[in-house]
Amino acid sequence: MARLLRDETIVATWKEFFVNHCKSDIETIALSYPDIRSLLIDYWDIDKANPELAEQILNQPYKTIFNAEEALKDIDVSTLNEKLCIHFRVFNLPNTISIRDLRAKHAGKLIAVEGLVKRATYVMPAITISAFQCQKCGAVIKIEQEEDILKEPSECYEDQGGCGRISSFKLLTSHSLFIDNQKIELQENPDNLRGSEQPQKITILLEDDLVGRIFPGDRVQISGICHTMQRRQANFRLKTFYFAIDAIHIEINETAYEEIDITEEDEKEILKASKDPDIYNKMRQSIAPSIYGMEIEKGALTLQLFSGVPKIMPDGTKVRADIHVLLVGDPGTAKSQLLKYMHRLAPRSILASGSASTKAGLTATAVRDEKFSEGQWVLEAGALVLANNGFACIDEFDKMSEEDRGSMHQAMAQQEISIAKAGINATLKSKCSVLAAANPKQGRFDPFIPLHEQINMRPALISRFDLIFPILDESNREKDIALSAHILRTHKGSELAENISKCDKSEYSEEQRDSFMENIKPIYEPEFLRKYVAYAKRKIFPVMTDEALEIIQARYVDFRSNSKESIPFTPRQLEGYVRLAEASARVRLSNKATIDDAKRAISIVNKYLTRVGMDRETGKIDIDIIETGISHSQQKRMKTILGIIATLCESSESGAAIEDIIHKAEIEGIDSGRTEEAVKHMKERKELFVTPTGGYKINV
Ligand code: ADP
Ligand code: MG
């Protein structure tokens, strides 16, 4: 940036503007100065008062803003003797440019960009005016620092009272002037990307009171001056540059789905659709119509799109509103396909794979980067943080890295991620719905083996999902016929469409095409659904009716007391019911969650529990299987067997022999297979160990 000179005409114009329009704002700032030291101005206020000046800000921002700040220094504020040094910050610019559309013509112009914060350095002080001491005469020479590289005096300047000689200089940090600096990397909104385009990024420079306010994962709108920074390779300066933006104003988007435009027309259509008594089924059928079957799963995904009502309890505890869904199943059952579809459908969604090796992975991390931050550690957001306030679709969930595994727990339950690494201590938000897909370790899902043994995930993490659906590739003649017919028809339909649109003289008719496409045409187009969901999440906050509360409570109590021993069915499941019932009310755009909504929630949870939480021995639903991987009856049995081993060990130095354990257990009514299974399990869990002579002893 070239040295800026005060231009008295511009200063005078600004002064007039400030006196007429911002006098009271400036006085308010003066009261809390220097804690508050920025004057925020809506671009359109300037445009209304002086269109020429507004135009000038856009085209010559450095000069215009410099003079505006000069004018601010001149304004008399009665309450203060000291001179104010206020930043001039303008927002609501007319020209928002997409990051991928930045071109050379934008350099030097004031523009607005929107995006997601991908990385942030920590706040660093940078010198703006440096004080150097001449090692020959001791004079202190001040130099304004405007470049990236620190500039030293070339001689001991006489006009600053120096000796005029060429000398060596020592930097006096205590006499230099510092300003806070921070660099962030902004990535374009994933919603605006189509297909598998790579999101583009841009570096944003923040100064003074703008630093430390935004974090990776935030969605922001930034006004700033676009400029170019020279690229370097080793010590050479290259002739190509990259874009960067000097931010002058930042705004964090907090409203739900602000970026989705809903016109009056749209609103009418949304309200009309919401009156349809069959809206839920129609929505469900509109989800991935090319995928056959999976009615229950698609129903769950419909509710997941809408999610429950975010709440803050009077004691400050936040309750998660997002519904987490896990699909586990056989290969080739369209799990990945379904995820991709949901990614296209859900507003603000991020699609990631647990096995993909980006540095930040699924959660977040601190990384070192030569290009972006000169080798410093920076905080980088992963998929769940980027999906904050949105929807995360994660394929190959079971293949995530160890680091992610460590923080995933907190990310899903508390919806935040803490990072303590390389001097960075930060907590990032990850408030999003998670739709994950996992493959069983053995390749195929076995309904008779506890879930956590089949997928490479700890039970505690598995239990963070509200709904878990095993997807089995069962062969069943009827289903095979229907599924293959569906897939083949959709293929033929698409072939016809291609043929008709690409061949010069197609022998097929559009009616033929439509007849094949019929069953894969969604009732509601994805574009409409996105708007519908955004509308519901913005405007609808259902309250449970008393009847709805009652039946959920009855259901819960019933579960808990269904058996003589209490069946562990935890309050976590209770919250799940509430979230699903609220989501179900939102589907109808209703502010009341009725008994029907509660019933729908109960029915969906039931379907999932009977598939994964059933205790094979008792035929009852047992949440323990999901939470700990061991059913209640298994636990009881292990306790009995531990007792037997303890008694046997009292009379034997070399531990309890397996034959003796089996024998004694049979007397207690446990068959030999179960005993062996339990002993093996306890050995794995290091509750038992084997003595050199082959006996079992209890680990204490
Ligand atoms: P997964 O991720 O479960 O291993 P994919 O999503 O990669 O499976 O699906 C494999 C292929 O099989 C896809 O092309 C998908 O369209 C097809 N397919 C599998 N099941 C169905 C189904 N129920 N309906 C339509 N297509 C299906
Ligand atoms: Mg897959």
Side-chain angles (χ1 to χ4, degrees):
M1 182 195 349
R3 178 181 284 266
L4 293 162
L5 290 177
R6 191 175 154 116
D7 180 325
E8 290 307 333
T9 19
I10 308 181
V11 171
T13 324
W14 276 122
K15 236 166 146 175
E16 190 192 322
F17 174 79
F18 291 137
V19 171
N20 290 337
H21 297 91
C22 316
K23 195 81 202 224
S24 65
D25 291 342
I26 296 170
E27 255 148 31
T28 322
I29 292 174
L31 291 177
S32 350
Y33 188 82
D35 291 337
I36 294 178
R37 50 187 183 281
S38 285
L39 177 66
L40 310 183
I41 296 182
D42 190 326
Y43 174 85
W44 296 103
D45 288 345
I46 308 174
D47 187 68
K48 227 187 315 170
N50 187 342
E52 220 173 287
L53 193 61
E55 187 82 31
Q56 240 180 48
I57 302 186
L58 297 182
N59 292 322
Q60 296 178 303
Y62 283 119
K63 184 170 151 196
T64 320
I65 293 173
F66 172 81
N67 283 299
E69 290 180 353
E70 286 294 304
L72 282 171
K73 285 183 195 158
D74 290 357
I75 297 205
D76 285 326
V77 183
S78 46
T79 46
L80 226 65
N81 318 336
E82 120 185 67
K83 246 193 173 186
L84 296 185
C85 230
I86 301 181
H87 297 292
F88 172 85
R89 308 209 177 278
V90 47
F91 63 95
N92 209 2
L93 298 181
N95 48 343
T96 303
I97 314 269
S98 155
I99 295 176
R100 68 174 53 229
D101 293 335
L102 279 177
R103 296 292 179 267
K105 66 173 183 203
H106 296 121
K109 301 278 161 36
L110 184 64
I111 56 167
V113 287
E114 286 178 325
L116 264 172
V117 180
K118 170 87 178 156
R119 300 165 165 199
T121 63
Y122 31 154
V123 177
M124 305 166 274
I127 289 189
T128 51
I129 297 174
S130 55
F132 287 98
Q133 188 169 44
C134 171
Q135 297 300 293
K136 285 185 177 150
C137 72
V140 174
I141 305 294
K142 297 223 162 161
I143 291 200
E144 233 173 285
Q145 298 291 342
E146 281 155 354
E147 306 268 321
D148 265 357
I149 290 164
L150 190 76
K151 198 164 86 187
E152 288 200 23
S154 47
E155 57 177 53
C156 186
Y157 303 125
E158 281 178 70
D159 58 354
Q160 289 198 34
C163 58
R165 285 176 290 179
I166 293 186
S167 167
S168 60
F169 293 90
K170 187 177 165 209
L171 179 67
L172 303 177
T173 46
S174 56
H175 291 73
S176 301
L177 193 67
F178 284 86
I179 194 160
D180 288 323
N181 261 236
Q182 190 181 23
K183 241 192 209 177
I184 61 169
E185 190 175 65
L186 198 67
Q187 171 181 318
E188 59 189 323
N189 277 333
D191 285 333
N192 303 339
L193 298 178
R194 285 291 153 246
S196 52
E197 284 173 307
Q198 273 296 318
Q200 303 224 341
K201 297 170 196 146
I202 190 166
T203 302
I204 313 273
L205 308 162
L206 307 176
E207 253 187 25
D208 202 21
D209 56 348
L210 294 183
V211 304
R213 286 179 30 197
I214 49 181
F215 298 93
D218 282 345
R219 277 166 195 268
V220 294
Q221 172 145 41
I222 293 188
S223 316
I225 303 168
C226 175
H227 65 101
T228 49
M229 302 221 309
Q230 192 156 34
R231 295 172 59 215
R232 290 168 198 273
Q233 205 165 49
N235 283 328
F236 296 103
R237 302 213 251 175
L238 303 181
K239 91 176 191 191
T240 47
F241 289 65
Y242 58 88
F243 287 115
I245 290 177
D246 278 330
I248 61 165
H249 181 265
I250 46 184
E251 188 174 322
I252 303 174
N253 293 352
E254 276 166 322
T255 332
Y257 305 113
E258 200 161 20
E259 66 282 5
I260 295 181
D261 267 336
I262 298 174
T263 60
E264 252 168 63
E265 202 95 323
D266 293 332
E267 184 168 353
K268 259 191 222 143
E269 230 171 291
I270 289 171
L271 291 175
K272 191 171 141 225
S274 74
K275 303 272 176 341
D276 188 330
D278 207 23
I279 177 85
Y280 171 76
N281 285 322
K282 286 189 172 167
M283 284 218 169
R284 193 184 57 170
Q285 283 159 24
S286 303
I287 288 183
S290 70
I291 296 173
Y292 173 80
M294 302 215 208
E295 272 89 23
I296 297 159
E297 290 83 352
K298 288 183 186 177
L301 296 183
T302 309
L303 297 185
Q304 191 189 17
L305 272 178
F306 287 86
S307 75
V309 177
K311 296 163 208 141
I312 301 177
M313 298 290 172
D315 63 356
T317 326
K318 282 190 190 149
V319 183
R320 161 161 71 90
D322 301 291
I323 298 165
H324 297 325
V325 179
L326 173 65
L327 309 172
V328 200
D330 297 346
T333 46
K335 296 186 300 300
S336 302
Q337 194 91 335
L338 197 55
L339 253 62
K340 272 187 219 143
Y341 193 90
M342 291 305 285
H343 167 54
R344 288 216 316 269
L345 185 60
R348 288 197 175 171
S349 80
I350 297 275
L351 177 66
S353 168
S355 60
S357 55
T358 65
K359 278 192 211 141
L362 296 178
T363 52
T365 190
V367 292
R368 266 179 126 125
D369 191 301
E370 279 310 319
K371 252 173 52 206
F372 175 64
S373 61
E374 295 91 33
Q376 262 197 59
W377 289 92
V378 297
L379 201 52
E380 182 166 327
L384 257 65
V385 175
L386 291 176
N388 187 26
N389 286 327
F391 201 94
C393 302
I394 301 176
D395 208 351
E396 319 259 336
F397 193 69
D398 48 318
K399 303 205 177 50
M400 69 183 137
S401 71
E402 279 310 309
E403 198 177 338
D404 277 339
R405 231 168 258 273
S407 39
M408 185 55 82
H409 218 251
Q410 188 199 9
M412 289 183 64
Q414 272 87 48
Q415 304 207 294
E416 53 186 35
I417 297 165
S418 319
I419 295 162
K421 186 172 164 189
I424 293 186
N425 263 308
T427 303
L428 301 177
K429 285 189 222 123
S430 61
K431 213 178 95 27
C432 60
S433 310
V434 177
L435 169 60
N439 292 308
K441 271 189 271 186
Q442 260 73 31
R444 276 195 165 264
F445 189 82
D446 181 344
F448 295 107
I449 301 177
L451 201 57
H452 79 111
E453 281 179 25
Q454 302 202 54
I455 43 178
N456 188 16
M457 271 159 62
R458 264 172 298 167
L461 183 54
I462 297 179
S463 76
R464 290 297 182 267
F465 287 95
D466 296 282
L467 298 168
I468 303 169
F469 293 108
I471 300 179
L472 305 183
D473 182 13
E474 294 157 317
S475 92
N476 152 337
R477 203 175 154 75
E478 236 167 81
K479 195 186 141 202
D480 288 346
I481 292 173
L483 175 78
S484 54
H486 181 91
I487 295 182
L488 295 174
R489 279 182 76 85
T490 55
H491 275 254
K492 178 152 182 182
S494 310
E495 282 163 7
L496 288 171
E498 284 292 295
N499 186 289
I500 291 170
S501 71
K502 306 256 166 79
C503 292
D504 285 343
K505 276 206 193 85
S506 175
E507 56 178 287
Y508 301 101
S509 71
E510 290 183 0
E511 289 76 49
Q512 271 174 307
R513 177 195 64 192
D514 293 344
S515 78
F516 276 91
M517 292 292 217
E518 204 173 24
N519 55 343
I520 55 163
K521 236 178 97 54
I523 300 171
Y524 298 120
E525 295 293 331
E527 216 35 56
F528 176 72
L529 275 187
R530 284 161 74 89
K531 288 186 178 170
Y532 195 106
V533 171
Y535 184 87
K537 287 187 123 181
R538 251 188 243 168
K539 306 219 167 179
I540 308 293
F541 296 88
V543 177
M544 294 254 234
T545 59
D546 292 342
E547 297 83 29
L549 284 181
E550 256 164 47
I551 82 159
I552 288 182
Q553 191 184 18
R555 177 75 196 159
Y556 178 72
V557 176
D558 189 36
F559 249 133
R560 303 269 293 190
S561 56
N562 200 352
S563 144
K564 283 188 200 72
E565 345 142 22
S566 76
I567 285 193
F569 187 80
T570 68
R572 194 176 287 149
Q573 275 72 41
L574 190 61
E575 287 183 352
Y577 281 140
V578 175
R579 281 191 276 272
L580 290 165
E582 288 165 350
S584 165
R586 267 189 169 163
V587 174
R588 290 178 286 115
L589 298 188
S590 164
N591 276 312
K592 277 200 178 71
T594 60
I595 198 155
D596 288 335
D597 295 315
K599 279 186 185 157
R600 180 170 292 146
I602 289 172
S603 130
I604 288 188
V605 172
N606 255 6
K607 297 246 167 57
Y608 127 69
L609 286 177
T610 45
R611 285 206 227 162
V612 295
M614 189 84 97
D615 183 351
R616 261 169 297 143
E617 293 162 32
T618 61
K620 294 208 173 93
I621 288 170
D622 184 350
I623 275 295
D624 255 12
I625 298 188
I626 300 165
E627 305 250 310
T628 64
I630 304 167
S631 75
H632 212 66
S633 40
Q634 266 176 315
Q635 253 168 9
K636 225 177 103 203
R637 196 158 51 239
M638 286 203 264
K639 222 163 143 192
T640 316
I641 292 172
L642 274 178
I644 293 172
I645 296 175
T647 332
L648 287 171
C649 282
E650 277 170 22
S651 56
S652 159
E653 273 295 300
S654 56
I658 185 77
E659 305 81 47
D660 294 342
I661 305 174
I662 290 176
H663 178 67
K664 288 258 177 180
E666 266 173 358
I667 300 173
E668 301 275 341
I670 304 172
D671 70 42
S672 60
R674 294 243 156 95
T675 309
E676 276 173 17
E677 184 192 22
V679 168
K680 186 171 148 247
H681 208 107
M682 288 190 284
K683 203 175 87 190
E684 276 167 11
R685 297 207 309 183
K686 305 233 173 347
E687 285 170 26
L688 295 179
F689 68 94
V690 187
T691 62
T693 50
Y696 286 92
K697 276 193 170 175
I698 299 171
N699 240 339
V700 275

